[in-house]
Structures are given as C-alpha cells and as structure tokens.
Amino acid sequence: MTAVGTRDLIVEKADALFYEGGFEATSFADIAAAVGISRGNFYHHFKTKDAILDAVISRRQQRTSEMLDNWQAKGAAPRDRILSFIRLLIANRIKIMAFGCPVGTLCSELAKLDHAAQHRAAEILGLFRSWLTGQFQALGIIRQAEAHAMHLLVWSQGVAVIAATFRDEAFIRREVAGIEEWLDELLVAPAVEN
Amino acid sequence: MTAVGTRDLIVEKADALFYEGGFEATSFADIAAAVGISRGNFYHHFKTKDAILDAVISRRQQRTSEMLDNWQAKGAAPRDRILSFIRLLIANRIKIMAFGCPVGTLCSELAKLDHAAQHRAAEILGLFRSWLTGQFQALGIIRQAEAHAMHLLVWSQGVAVIAATFRDEAFIRREVAGIEEWLDELLVAPAVEN
DNA sequence: ACCAGATTAGGACAAATGTCCTACATGGTC
DNA sequence: GACCATGTAGGACATTTGTCCTAATCTGGT
C-alpha cells in the first residue's frame, strides 16, 4: 500500500535497532513500536525473530554490494576507491563512536550467540574483503592483494572498537591519516614486494 | 568455606559466560547452573545482574593489572614486554576465533546497551593503553608513545574481530608477524621521529 | 549443647519474551 | 453486490526473565 511496503519498513527499523542496541537486546515489541504497528501484526510479515535477522542481513548485503558497485562505476583510480572505504570511518564517525561498526559488532554478537546466521553476516565483511582485494590487484599488487585487503579490514574494525570504547574523534582522524599514509607507502614500494 | 568462596566462583563462571555468550544473553539461570547452586541463592551474593557485571569487570581489571605488573617485574626489555602483549593474540587464539576479545566485545556490547558500567569496562582497555604508553616511553619514544599504544590496541582489536568473523588461524599469525615487524621498524627509526 | 550468623534451596512474583490465533478492515475482481 | 487476498489490531499462550522472600541447613565459637 504505502510507497515503501510495511515489510521493508520493518527491516529498516530492525536494522537500526539491531545496530544501536544489539540483536539479542532488541525485542519484537521494540521493532513494532519503532515501525508503529501492533505486535501481533508482525507474524504476518515474519514468522520468527531469526527471519527478521535474515532479512536485515540480506538488506545489508545488498546495500553493501550497491555501494561497492557505485564506487567501482565512478571510474576513479583504485587508490581513490580504497580511500572511499577508509573514509567510511570519518563519514560515520558519530554512530561509530556510539555503537561501533554495524557489521563488525553484528558478526561479533552472532559469533557469541553461535547463531545460524553468523556466516551470512560474515559474508558482508567478505564483500569488502573481495572488493578491496580487487582494488589492490588493479594496482598491480597481486601476491599481497588479499593480505592487504585483510589488513585494511583489521585496521578499520580496530578503529571502530576503540572509537566506541574511548569516544575520541581526534583519535579516529589520526588513525585514518595513518591508514592513508600506509596506503601511499604501499603504492610507492618496489614492485618486487608485491 | 570452600577453598575458593562461592562468591568468587560465581564471578568466575559469570565472567566466562559473559565472554562466551554475551552479557545480555546470559541469564541468572545460566550462571546458577554453571556454578551448581540454586537460582534463588544468588540473591544472597548479588542483588542484581548489574552487580555481577560490576564484580566481573573488577575481577578483569585486577587480573589485567596483575598480568601487566608481572610483565613489568620480569626485568625484560620494553620491546619484549610489548611482544608479550602482542602474543596474547596467539596464546588465546582458539577462544578469540570463537568469541573475539573478551574486553573488546564487552566494551562494544555495553556501549550498545548504553550500560552504566561501560566506562568501567573501558578502563580495562585503558590499563593496556597506559601500560603500553609507558613501554614506548621507556624506549625513548616520548611524543608518539600514546599514539603508538593506541595503534597497538587498534591492531589487536581489529585482529580479534576479523579472526572471530573468518575463523582463520593462519591470518592471526600473519597479522601478529606484521605487528612485530611494525614494532621493530619503529625501534630503528631515527630519534627525530619520536 | 547451644546459639548467632552465614549460606543454601525452593519457589513466588510481576513483567517481558517469542510465538501464534482469531476477528475485523480494506480494496480490488468477477 | 458477492467474493477473496492482503493487511491489521488485539490479545492469548507458555516460557523465561530479573528480583525477592521464607524456611531450612550448616558452621564456628562459646
């Protein structure tokens, strides 16, 4: 009926609530209140809480893919594409300082819960991993491409955890500058290293 | 009565359960079952769940302090002390691959819950931060000591998150080798950088 | 032998949880 | 106007949650 279906609205609100409060701590009632529908009505759209989580993960996978495709389509140099990834930390710094990385914290929580969906959540980080690997390969860095991609994931996830712990914006900017410096040093390194 | 008091046993078991399952997802019943006492008996030792969390955090603070003091007392070179910190990732790799870093994941969860104890949990990471800063200073690296300490925290937290997500032990070893390399490059850098 | 305090088991309690059912409203199709 | 699929509200349901009470048991000191 509505321009955006109720189902999509549920997934959108659930995504935000899972991010800001955690999956386990978010109840059906919380989501229903955020969407503005009755608790019972939920059952029509999602049979279980896990089904909502599944939809939330699918939505994140799709959005991530779209974002990466957009960066890819812009025709920018691979270096600039990698910088787009790094600067997500700056662009989302307010929420990161409050709740950490939406993907990293979800993966951590689902790992602890030993939840069936943990591998699907990990795939989101896998999308970044593959895409970053591709960027390094496009730069002629073949042998170490995957390791560099993993290192960027490590660095950004670490910044997110520490940023949420100490709530220090200057720290984020310092680390991001450090990542960019690291990247530029990589790109002028002799080809034999790659 | 027992060699180790019931209260201590509760804190110990709660600590493990919070780590392996998360604070929110762990119930009184879970802890009682792990300790082997009745649910009601809990109230005698801890009035609320938050009180248990408080005791767990205190215990972790104390254990962390003891560990850092031990490393300090061993008379090793600051470089070796820093290596002890880094190699925690190797020593605890099995649990880290399953549940992440006990401190980092706790801080992340409490941040999301906006829990009153989140700052006390952050103090545990603060202990590492101060201690690492002291090691760099002992190495004559003054101006950048704090930044280097923060960077080590970032790196190790990032490794923990990614290790728990992808469950890859070889990756952990590769990153730890990278951290050690980074450290050694730091220590041969011209003093003007410090 | 006795007692006071500490410790324990068992369960009560209201509130919240995820799940599920039924009845009503709405809007489009024959 | 009759019909049907879809969406919605309200609430039932058993279970679990954190919290709290009471009564029994244990222990160490006198």
Side-chain angles (χ1 to χ4, degrees):
Chain A
M1 290 307 105
T2 42
V4 50
T6 304
R7 198 196 134 94
D8 292 333
L9 199 59
I10 292 175
V11 177
E12 182 190 323
K13 296 293 188 184
D15 189 15
L17 288 170
F18 289 171
Y19 175 32
E20 296 171 15
F23 170 70
E24 184 76 14
T26 300
S27 71
F28 268 55
D30 294 331
I31 305 173
V35 176
I37 63 174
S38 77
R39 214 168 64 265
N41 189 11
F42 245 101
Y43 191 65
H44 186 70
H45 299 280
F46 295 98
K47 300 297 179 203
T48 67
K49 198 180 173 187
D50 288 349
I52 301 183
L53 176 62
D54 239 52
V56 165
I57 293 176
S58 293
R59 180 189 134 105
R60 274 212 175 262
Q61 282 184 343
Q62 192 190 323
R63 297 230 159 182
T64 302
S65 279
E66 286 170 8
M67 183 177 66
L68 296 178
D69 287 349
N70 270 349
W71 288 349
Q72 199 72 12
K74 282 229 178 84
R79 176 179 170 277
D80 292 325
R81 294 189 191 135
I82 297 174
L83 285 178
S84 297
F85 168 77
I86 296 168
R87 288 183 184 143
L88 283 177
L89 286 169
I90 303 284
N92 301 326
R93 65 191 184 280
I94 303 300
K95 293 210 134 194
I96 288 176
M97 283 192 291
F99 314 112
C101 167
V103 184
T105 53
L106 181 63
C107 287
S108 291
E109 182 176 5
L110 296 185
K112 290 200 181 205
L113 297 175
D114 202 17
H115 195 285
Q118 63 182 306
H119 301 107
R120 294 198 61 237
E123 285 172 12
I124 307 176
L125 274 185
L127 289 174
F128 284 106
R129 175 181 178 171
S130 305
W131 184 86
L132 285 169
T133 301
Q135 302 312 310
F136 283 111
Q137 289 170 339
L139 284 165
I141 300 176
I142 307 300
R143 230 187 60 233
Q144 295 286 344
E146 179 102 30
H148 290 337
M150 289 294 269
H151 185 58
L152 274 181
L153 287 188
V154 164
W155 209 332
S156 54
Q157 286 298 320
V159 168
V161 170
I162 299 299
T165 301
F166 293 126
R167 310 254 151 121
D168 186 341
E169 179 167 341
F171 152 78
I172 298 182
R173 295 188 184 277
R174 235 181 297 127
E175 283 289 326
V176 166
I179 303 177
E180 297 184 0
E181 201 179 315
W182 170 83
L183 179 63
D184 283 337
E185 277 171 22
L186 255 191
L187 301 189
V188 300
V192 67
E193 301 248 0
N194 310 329
Chain B
M1 291 313 99
T2 43
V4 51
T6 304
R7 197 196 132 96
D8 291 334
L9 198 59
I10 291 175
V11 177
E12 181 190 323
K13 295 294 188 183
D15 189 15
L17 288 170
F18 289 171
Y19 175 32
E20 296 171 13
F23 170 70
E24 183 77 15
T26 300
S27 71
F28 268 56
D30 294 332
I31 305 173
V35 176
I37 63 174
S38 78
R39 216 166 65 263
N41 189 12
F42 246 101
Y43 191 66
H44 185 71
H45 299 280
F46 295 99
K47 301 297 178 201
T48 67
K49 197 181 174 187
D50 288 349
I52 302 183
L53 177 62
D54 240 51
V56 166
I57 293 176
S58 293
R59 179 187 134 105
R60 276 213 172 260
Q61 282 182 344
Q62 192 190 322
R63 298 229 160 183
T64 302
S65 279
E66 287 170 5
M67 183 178 65
L68 296 178
D69 287 349
N70 270 349
W71 288 348
Q72 198 73 11
K74 283 228 178 83
R79 174 179 171 279
D80 291 325
R81 294 190 192 135
I82 297 174
L83 286 179
S84 298
F85 168 78
I86 295 169
R87 287 183 185 145
L88 284 177
L89 286 169
I90 303 284
N92 301 326
R93 65 191 184 282
I94 304 299
K95 293 207 134 197
I96 288 176
M97 283 192 290
F99 315 113
C101 167
V103 185
T105 53
L106 181 63
C107 287
S108 291
E109 181 176 6
L110 296 185
K112 290 202 181 204
L113 297 175
D114 203 17
H115 195 285
Q118 64 183 304
H119 302 108
R120 294 196 63 235
E123 283 172 14
I124 307 175
L125 274 184
L127 289 173
F128 285 106
R129 176 182 176 170
S130 305
W131 184 85
L132 286 168
T133 301
Q135 302 314 308
F136 283 111
Q137 288 170 343
L139 285 163
I141 300 177
I142 308 300
R143 232 186 59 232
Q144 295 287 344
E146 179 104 31
H148 289 337
M150 289 293 270
H151 186 58
L152 273 181
L153 287 187
V154 164
W155 210 332
S156 53
Q157 287 299 318
V159 169
V161 170
I162 299 299
T165 301
F166 293 126
R167 312 255 151 118
D168 185 343
E169 180 168 340
F171 152 78
I172 298 182
R173 296 188 183 276
R174 235 181 295 128
E175 283 289 325
V176 166
I179 303 177
E180 297 184 0
E181 201 178 314
W182 169 84
L183 178 64
D184 282 337
E185 278 172 20
L186 255 190
L187 300 189
V188 300
V192 67
E193 301 248 0
N194 312 328

